[in-house]
Amino acid sequence: MDLTKRQQQIVEIVKADGPITGEHIADRLDLTRATLRPDLAILTMAGFLDARPRVGYFYTGKTASELLSEKIKKYKVHEFQQVPVAVKESVSVYDAISTMFLEDVGTLFVVDDHACLTGVLSRKDLLRTSMGHQDLTSIPVHIIMTRMPNITVCRRDDLLIDAAHNLISKQIDGLPVVKDTERGLEVVGRITKTTMTKLLVELTTDENI
Amino acid sequence: MDLTKRQQQIVEIVKADGPITGEHIADRLDLTRATLRPDLAILTMAGFLDARPRVGYFYTGKTASELLSEKIKKYKVHEFQQVPVAVKESVSVYDAISTMFLEDVGTLFVVDDHACLTGVLSRKDLLRTSMGHQDLTSIPVHIIMTRMPNITVCRRDDLLIDAAHNLISKQIDGLPVVKDTERGLEVVGRITKTTMTKLLVELTTDENI
């Protein structure tokens, strides 16, 4: 949304001196209140300004792009999480790779007997091990997995965009979605870069998202 | 953006009978042209309606979400592509895996002597091969790579969202960005699910994107 010159002037005035009444904004611009009414209505509806009775207009601090990004910022992890795929700590690297292919996932979660998270295996972890000229059937995954507390997790009610931030900043492909229990972190879901790519596609195709 | 009841009525009228002048819309609602002016300005600025002199208002057919998705739909591949990492066809699987780790990428492109695309190697391809109890230093990548014409490519001026669609529908992690030359497809860039995740993050943090 492009603002007119006058609308930009109004935003600047409110930014600097808000809260400020419509009358005062009109005075500053040497215009009548009636002339300004459409502009103030537009700026308020578009979310740049907010108005409170007997207080006046104040700046919401939002640019057009910020307003746009708010849509993305609302999404929660549980709205997009996929089913997690987990293996036990004693499983061999060979079997873990097989599971990865069978389930067609890029990240496996390693769990204890109570289904609680103890490790994460990425394709990268498995590939590194498989370069080592070792017998993959004889190495248990707990030897090579990334362990707690070095695992980045997220929870159902976290913001999806925070999960996206973590995927980028930690340079990982997937995050476990966990639930806090007395025995540890139960793995209930999976968030990956595929989740994010799908969201981007859905944002441009599904108007109900 | 939430429309008021009156704004919704205006949209309905223009949808049904547009192009229609402001005067006629005002008549239909039993209001003066002056009363409607702010609403018409808002609806036009927000992109719901468009106006042409001497023709009147017409409906753009766009919902709020459609307008929002237009922002994403504008991006071109070249604005976001990353540097490609390529290996020759004769390189061993072992060396390809090493390159993948050194360059920290998830997809390698295989090129001929003219730097033209002949194949793609994903982490999945390399992992599958490394399960095979073979000597990875003696297998050249051209044996295991995905070959043309089974490679999905994109070009600099393609829409980024079309690349995202392809990543999802073909279930792949990365696409080569290619340039058509007399000798074949020169690899000039790389688009991945990481690109898409970064875009999502940028959409919520960078107002200049």
Side-chain angles (χ1 to χ4, degrees):
Chain A
M1 159 164 182
D2 296 324
L3 299 184
T4 63
K5 185 137 192 248
R6 190 196 284 164
Q7 287 162 358
Q8 285 172 14
Q9 285 177 325
I10 296 172
V11 169
E12 288 312 313
I13 289 171
V14 178
K15 215 173 187 173
D17 299 325
I20 178 170
T21 63
E23 297 278 341
H24 283 112
I25 301 172
D27 282 353
R28 294 273 293 270
L29 292 170
D30 243 342
L31 296 165
T32 66
R33 178 81 180 81
T35 311
L36 277 195
R37 199 163 290 137
D39 289 316
L40 288 169
I42 288 168
L43 291 170
T44 308
M45 280 218 44
F48 290 95
L49 303 184
D50 210 342
R52 268 191 221 133
R54 271 173 268 186
V55 175
Y57 291 90
F58 54 94
Y59 180 59
T60 57
K62 292 170 189 171
T63 65
S65 289
E66 280 168 351
L67 291 162
L68 194 148
S69 79
E70 282 189 359
K71 189 184 167 85
I72 298 172
K73 283 186 186 162
K74 277 187 329 210
Y75 301 131
K76 297 286 184 70
V77 159
H78 69 82
E79 300 173 70
F80 295 90
Q81 70 187 41
Q82 297 167 277
V83 175
V85 179
V87 295
K88 292 283 178 70
E89 296 185 323
S90 55
V91 155
S92 74
V93 170
Y94 187 91
D95 287 344
I97 299 176
S98 301
T99 303
M100 206 170 245
F101 277 102
L102 277 172
E103 304 280 352
D104 198 21
V105 292
T107 308
L108 289 178
F109 305 118
V110 185
V111 295
D112 62 20
D113 291 337
H114 306 297
C116 286
L117 185 70
T118 60
V120 169
L121 292 166
S122 67
R123 279 196 193 131
K124 225 167 142 179
D125 295 328
L126 296 170
L127 200 52
R128 192 184 294 109
T129 307
S130 66
M131 282 180 82
H133 304 293
Q134 302 160 79
D135 179 9
L136 301 180
T137 59
S138 68
I139 312 168
V141 291
H142 70 83
I143 304 281
I144 67 151
M145 70 189 190
T146 300
R147 301 188 153 270
M148 291 297 284
N150 299 321
I151 302 172
T152 306
V153 302
C154 62
R155 288 172 173 82
R156 280 175 49 85
D157 287 329
D158 286 352
L159 294 177
L160 189 72
I161 199 66
D162 290 338
H165 265 282
N166 275 331
L167 290 174
I168 295 300
S169 66
K170 315 265 177 178
Q171 301 190 16
I172 47 183
D173 287 333
L175 292 175
V177 184
V178 300
K179 200 172 102 181
D180 300 275
T181 71
E182 283 183 13
R183 288 172 155 161
L185 300 175
E186 189 187 332
V187 183
V188 297
R190 168 172 66 101
I191 288 287
T192 66
K193 286 177 181 169
T194 306
T195 318
M196 303 304 168
T197 308
K198 276 186 184 158
L199 171 58
L200 208 59
V201 170
E202 281 174 26
L203 277 172
T204 61
T205 51
D206 179 3
E207 57 182 82
N208 297 315
I209 200 166
Chain B
M1 160 161 179
D2 296 325
L3 299 185
T4 63
K5 186 138 191 249
R6 190 196 282 164
Q7 287 162 357
Q8 285 172 13
Q9 285 177 326
I10 296 172
V11 170
E12 287 312 312
I13 290 170
V14 177
K15 215 173 189 172
D17 300 324
I20 178 170
T21 63
E23 297 276 342
H24 282 113
I25 301 173
D27 282 352
R28 294 272 294 268
L29 292 171
D30 243 342
L31 296 166
T32 67
R33 178 80 181 82
T35 310
L36 278 195
R37 199 164 289 136
D39 289 317
L40 288 169
I42 288 167
L43 291 170
T44 309
M45 281 214 45
F48 290 96
L49 303 185
D50 209 343
R52 270 191 220 132
R54 271 174 268 187
V55 174
Y57 292 89
F58 54 94
Y59 179 61
T60 56
K62 292 171 190 170
T63 65
S65 290
E66 280 168 350
L67 291 163
L68 193 148
S69 79
E70 280 188 2
K71 187 182 166 88
I72 298 172
K73 283 186 186 161
K74 278 187 328 212
Y75 300 132
K76 297 286 184 71
V77 159
H78 69 83
E79 299 174 70
F80 295 90
Q81 70 187 40
Q82 297 168 276
V83 175
V85 179
V87 295
K88 292 284 178 71
E89 296 184 323
S90 54
V91 154
S92 74
V93 170
Y94 187 91
D95 287 344
I97 298 176
S98 302
T99 304
M100 206 170 245
F101 277 101
L102 277 173
E103 304 279 353
D104 198 23
V105 292
T107 308
L108 290 178
F109 305 118
V110 185
V111 295
D112 62 19
D113 292 337
H114 307 297
C116 287
L117 185 69
T118 60
V120 169
L121 292 166
S122 67
R123 278 196 194 131
K124 225 167 142 177
D125 295 328
L126 295 170
L127 201 51
R128 192 184 292 111
T129 307
S130 66
M131 282 180 82
H133 305 291
Q134 301 161 79
D135 179 10
L136 301 179
T137 59
S138 68
I139 312 169
V141 291
H142 71 82
I143 304 281
I144 67 150
M145 70 189 191
T146 301
R147 301 187 154 271
M148 291 296 284
N150 298 320
I151 302 171
T152 306
V153 303
C154 63
R155 289 171 174 82
R156 279 175 50 84
D157 287 329
D158 286 352
L159 294 177
L160 189 72
I161 199 65
D162 290 337
H165 265 283
N166 275 332
L167 290 174
I168 295 299
S169 66
K170 314 265 177 180
Q171 301 189 17
I172 47 183
D173 287 332
L175 292 175
V177 184
V178 299
K179 200 172 103 182
D180 300 275
T181 72
E182 281 183 14
R183 287 171 155 161
L185 301 175
E186 189 187 333
V187 182
V188 296
R190 168 172 66 101
I191 289 286
T192 67
K193 285 177 180 167
T194 305
T195 318
M196 303 303 168
T197 307
K198 276 186 183 157
L199 171 58
L200 209 58
V201 170
E202 281 173 27
L203 276 172
T204 62
T205 50
D206 180 4
E207 58 183 80
N208 297 317
I209 200 165

